[in-house]
Amino acid sequence: MTNLHVSTHPLVRHKLTLLRRVQTEPKKFRELVQELTRFLLYEATQDIGLEPVEIETPLGAMTGHRNASQIGLFPILRAGLGMVDPAIEMIPTANVWHLGLYRDHDTLEPVTYYNKLPPQLDVDLCIILDPMLATGGSAIAAVDILKRWGATRIKFLGLIAAPEGVAMLHQHHPDVPIYLAALDQGLNEKSYIVPGLGDAGDRQFGTG
Ligand code: PRP
Ligand code: URA
């Protein structure tokens, strides 16, 4: 599928396996979410623009490069919160705008409960952070919000997705590239990703 990037890095596979294990307790789970986010963000930012910058090294002058894009990070609450720290460590100039979305347990429809985006678009590239892409409802709602805000360059960075969610996000927003650590088998009768890792918010925050 075009616009779908699933990491094949051996360390990503190794760490994702640890993350999935039912025995992995919240402290270790949070550390692994952070480590995996670094790998995937590295891949998702391969094409950001650079501009030349003149610098002096101890041995002379040279033309170097600096990031020319204002990047916005958009963690979806709650589970996306665990991806924020590694992302702003890698891109310290990024803005972070939280989006509060949960999927209703009965209807599975996304419900928006927090959005404080400023009136004017202030980023060149939006990166949505959410470990899980299941039915795709939450991701589609987040992209809808960003597009209504005026965003034209949006990427989705997750850890695990179901093929159903990827297909729905591509159908609604074919221009949004998806970066993942794994594409799993599918959804169960409660629309949880199988084999997945369970509820990513609960496993990070010990609320299961
Ligand atoms: C999880 C996850 C995504 C959403 C994915 O959040 O973090 O946001 O489900 O499911 P979907 O693709 O079917 O929309 P959840 O609604 O459990 O909220 P929480 O992070 O606050 O627990
Ligand atoms: N949200 C999760 O946290 N896990 C799933 O498997 C599906 C949605």
Side-chain angles (χ1 to χ4, degrees), residues 120-201:
Q120 296 298 321
L121 178 77
D122 65 355
V123 297
D124 306 315
L125 169 64
C126 301
I127 303 180
I128 297 170
L129 304 173
D130 191 338
M132 309 305 275
L133 177 63
T135 64
S138 305
I140 291 166
V143 177
D144 287 343
I145 289 169
L146 295 179
K147 286 191 174 174
R148 278 199 298 273
W149 189 41
T152 53
R153 245 188 115 205
I154 303 170
K155 298 186 180 207
F156 180 90
L157 198 153
L159 297 182
I160 302 179
E164 296 92 324
V166 169
M168 284 301 279
L169 182 52
H170 275 335
Q171 187 184 320
H172 284 77
H173 298 294
D175 55 313
V176 174
I178 302 172
Y179 294 84
L180 299 172
L183 183 63
D184 274 9
Q185 287 160 23
L187 299 173
N188 70 8
E189 66 290 349
K190 292 188 172 166
S191 288
Y192 273 79
I193 300 171
V194 180
L197 49 71
D199 187 304

Side-chain angles (χ1 to χ4, degrees), residues 36-45 86-87 90-91 127 157:
L36 285 161
T37 300
R38 287 189 194 97
F39 278 102
L40 296 180
L41 190 59
Y42 176 82
E43 295 185 9
T45 50
M90 285 178 68
I91 312 171
I127 303 180
L157 198 153

